[in-house]
Amino acid sequence: MHFYHRSHGRGRFAALLLVSAVLLFSCRKVPDIVILYTNDVHAAVSEDQFGFAELAAYKQKILKKTPCVVTVDAGDAIQGTAVAVLSKGRAAVAAMNAAGYDFAVYGNHEFDYGVENLNSLVELADTQYVCCNVSCPEYGDAQPDFLARALPFALKNFGGRSVAFIGVTTPDTVNLATVPPAYDFSGGEDGARLCRAVQAAVDASRAAGADYVVLLAHLGATDGMYSSYAVAARTYGIDVIIDGHSHTVMQDEVRQNSRGQPVHITSTGARFQHFGSLTISSGGRYRFRLISRFPRKDPAVAAALAAVVRDADAFLSRGAAESDMQLSLLDENGQRLATRQESVLGDVCADAFRTAGNADIAFLNGAGIRAGLPQGTVSYGDLLALFPFGNTLCVISASGQQILDALEWSCRELPLATNGFLQVSGISFEADTQVPSPVRAGEDAAFLSCEGQRRVGNVRVLLDGKWQELECGRMYSLAGSTFLLRSGGDGYTMFRDCELLRELPYTDADALAAYLNITLQGKLAGNYAAQESRIGIVPVSK
């Protein structure tokens, strides 16, 4: 009996301890999960502007409240400034490393400096890249580094709760960047292939134990078949979409998935207009904030940013050319001119390409022009801000029919703006917007054919100082970027099989500097006082 009583007392004591532990655990507050996020930063690495240093300082503030903090990016981080061009994206990677990013997805602009360069950037990055929809079947097991090092999703455990981060890159990348044809971005089938790739990653992450699924989507908040809205509506199991690509400012828009369940979509704009903060409470509630100011900078990150730009500043501030007039990017309403009509700046740039290539004609996609030029001294920084992609130039042999098809593709959305609207040199034409566009696009949203009445007419070419009618069966030398003429960029697939006459040993910015300095000797006003009526647009009747 004595032994029995001792054992019984110990059991009661152990039970009491167990109950006390359970009560103590249940009373302990489960910490919030905080996801800090950016999108479309476009290499905004200056220590003087709101950005990486404030984001890092804000993270330190949040870490005092909860240990469950993660920083993510939704693409287009490495390109967009003169420093980015000089460093081929390394400046932005260094900034992201300093700020402590955990996960990121590839945007279309991550491919701007080529796949080999992207491979080296991913090797330098401390960030884990996620991407579920890009593959290169031709390479088999020997995938390039940027794919081999990326995961379809990454699972992050926060004290017993797991968040899956899935990455998805817009299939439009094949038309927006210089990407070899071997790469498959899961495009086509009216967006169905993309949604299947995303759904497979969602299902796999849930099976791996994810309590919450966050999609890092470089897709854009548009009505397109590859948009974040379309993916939200055609999949299930995604809780939050952190979106990029369209530069939309969106704190928390709620859409329904394919099962009628809510999907939260958020986006911060571009170039650090904001960074975002998503809090997931212990009860699974979501709270979104877009932050556009913070009073402190992280000193270590600020110092890292200063080091990133210090070496570039001396070069970028050097004078590269002279101009006796200012060349504007925007109209009086703040809209970009070169993506919907002829512009003086577009005329100058296209003439620079034609001169550099000694070609009959030159084409330049309007969205490739990203800044204006000042009157007076034009610095290298000014040139690289205007042409931030570092595109090389080439000259091809194209038929009059291919050139005519390209003009139709250029004008297909008029009077609306398009990235691929052409600025031209050595050629003039008229576009009648009252005529429906005859172009057909393929599943990859690139040019396929023209059927029906054309809206482009009165096409003339300047040959030997005289304007002549374009002949469909004649061959012409055509200068432009390799992105446009060799890679089918912006959907210009009609040129992909054209004979390459020559590759030029310099970039678009080099060609413009030479044209301003050598050909014009800084005297633009006498030649470009106004646009030259190269492109006549017949407006839609009211």
Side-chain angles (χ1 to χ4, degrees):
M1 290 290 293
H2 182 66
F3 177 79
Y4 171 79
H5 281 295
R6 287 184 64 190
S7 175
H8 182 66
R10 286 178 178 176
R12 292 179 61 186
F13 181 68
L16 181 62
L17 286 177
L18 178 61
V19 171
S20 299
V22 171
L23 288 173
L24 180 62
F25 181 80
S26 63
C27 293
R28 185 182 300 160
K29 183 180 179 183
V30 177
D32 290 341
I33 298 170
V34 177
I35 301 170
L36 304 178
Y37 57 94
T38 54
N39 60 270
D40 299 282
V41 170
H42 287 293
V45 297
S46 171
E47 76 273 25
D48 297 326
Q49 71 177 87
F50 177 80
F52 288 107
E54 286 81 2
L55 172 64
Y58 186 83
K59 181 177 182 177
Q60 293 304 314
K61 173 186 173 182
I62 299 302
L63 281 169
K64 294 177 181 178
K65 302 177 182 179
T66 174
C68 305
V69 184
V70 65
T71 306
V72 302
D73 181 76
D76 279 7
I78 70 163
Q79 169 278 342
T81 62
V83 173
V85 178
L86 286 180
S87 67
K88 295 292 190 289
R90 284 163 177 76
V93 170
M96 293 177 73
N97 286 347
Y101 277 77
D102 298 282
F103 305 109
V105 66
Y106 303 121
N108 54 287
H109 284 300
E110 263 68 41
F111 296 87
D112 279 351
Y113 306 121
V115 168
E116 289 302 319
N117 187 75
L118 179 57
N119 289 337
S120 66
L121 294 181
V122 173
E123 186 174 353
L124 293 172
D126 297 334
T127 307
Q128 173 62 61
Y129 280 90
V130 287
C131 185
C132 73
N133 69 303
V134 182
S135 63
C136 189
E138 289 185 12
Y139 283 46
D141 293 334
Q143 294 290 294
D145 283 351
F146 85 92
L147 287 179
R149 292 173 179 267
L151 301 172
F153 69 90
L155 204 61
K156 181 77 171 178
N157 186 275
F158 297 98
R161 292 184 294 165
S162 293
V163 181
F165 295 92
I166 301 172
V168 58
T169 303
T170 175
D172 284 332
T173 300
V174 298
N175 295 322
L176 297 173
T178 305
V179 180
Y183 291 91
D184 182 4
F185 284 75
S186 302
E189 297 183 22
D190 292 327
R193 289 189 69 224
L194 179 68
C195 292
R196 287 198 298 270
V198 172
Q199 189 64 62
V202 173
D203 293 345
S205 68
R206 291 290 188 183
D211 298 298
Y212 306 98
V213 172
V214 176
L215 185 67
L216 302 182
H218 196 79
L219 297 175
T222 69
D223 58 0
M225 62 182 175
Y226 301 137
S227 71
S228 58
Y229 294 152
V231 169
R234 299 174 71 176
T235 59
Y236 59 89
I238 299 169
D239 298 301
V240 175
I241 298 177
I242 296 174
D243 193 32
H245 191 44
S246 60
H247 297 189
T248 305
V249 176
M250 181 166 49
Q251 181 165 291
D252 178 22
E253 183 171 336
V254 181
R255 294 287 178 114
Q256 288 189 332
N257 68 15
S258 63
R259 295 183 173 180
Q261 300 160 327
V263 182
H264 300 263
I265 306 178
T266 184
S267 186
T268 67
R271 296 177 175 84
F272 272 116
Q273 286 175 275
H274 314 82
F275 60 78
S277 173
L278 162 60
T279 301
I280 305 176
S281 71
S282 58
R285 293 182 177 273
Y286 304 106
R287 184 171 70 253
F288 295 84
R289 290 186 62 199
L290 294 184
I291 299 157
S292 59
R293 59 176 62 89
F294 191 67
R296 295 190 300 280
K297 294 178 180 287
D298 182 290
V301 176
L305 294 177
V308 163
V309 301
R310 186 182 303 122
D311 293 338
D313 278 347
F315 173 79
L316 295 175
S317 60
R318 285 170 49 194
E322 295 291 329
S323 174
D324 60 358
M325 64 181 289
Q326 180 180 346
L327 299 173
S328 298
L329 174 72
L330 308 175
D331 64 15
E332 61 275 7
N333 297 316
Q335 301 298 311
R336 199 165 8 167
L337 288 164
T339 56
R340 57 187 169 84
Q341 67 181 63
E342 179 187 353
S343 72
V344 175
L345 179 57
D347 288 348
V348 173
C349 293
D351 286 350
F353 285 15
R354 184 163 67 99
T355 301
N358 190 25
D360 299 326
I361 302 167
F363 285 164
L364 163 66
N365 56 319
I369 301 173
R370 293 301 177 106
L373 289 179
Q375 182 176 3
T377 299
V378 177
S379 69
Y380 283 100
D382 294 326
L383 292 173
L384 294 179
L386 189 154
F387 284 135
F389 305 116
N391 284 322
T392 55
L393 303 182
C394 67
V395 181
I396 64 171
S397 177
S399 69
Q401 184 62 59
Q402 290 168 320
I403 289 168
L404 186 60
D405 288 344
L407 297 179
E408 286 287 355
W409 182 251
S410 169
C411 298
R412 69 193 184 281
E413 297 290 346
L414 288 178
L416 302 178
T418 54
N419 286 345
F421 184 81
L422 294 175
Q423 299 296 305
V424 302
S425 176
I427 193 169
S428 68
F429 63 94
E430 295 177 355
D432 187 349
T433 59
Q434 299 182 52
V435 175
S437 174
V439 299
R440 292 180 57 223
E443 285 192 344
D444 57 357
F447 175 84
L448 185 61
S449 63
C450 282
E451 297 179 1
Q453 182 183 356
R454 292 179 176 261
R455 56 170 33 184
V456 172
N458 194 25
V459 184
R460 299 185 302 156
V461 182
L462 184 62
L463 298 173
D464 299 323
K466 297 179 181 179
W467 288 102
Q468 303 176 21
E469 183 178 346
L470 179 78
E471 299 178 36
C472 290
R474 181 171 178 171
M475 305 303 293
Y476 298 88
S477 57
L478 174 63
S481 68
T482 53
F483 165 73
L484 194 77
L485 301 184
R486 301 290 288 164
S487 300
D490 282 332
Y492 284 92
T493 54
M494 69 286 295
F495 297 128
R496 275 184 173 166
D497 296 325
C498 287
E499 179 189 359
L500 176 65
L501 298 179
R502 50 193 171 274
E503 291 182 341
L504 303 184
Y506 33 75
T507 67
D508 41 18
D510 295 329
L512 180 57
Y515 184 68
L516 294 175
N517 272 341
I518 300 171
T519 305
L520 298 179
Q521 297 184 344
K523 297 179 173 61
L524 280 74
N527 298 289
Y528 297 99
Q531 64 188 45
E532 299 182 355
S533 299
R534 303 177 185 184
I535 305 173
I537 299 175
V538 179
V540 176
S541 58
K542 297 182 179 180

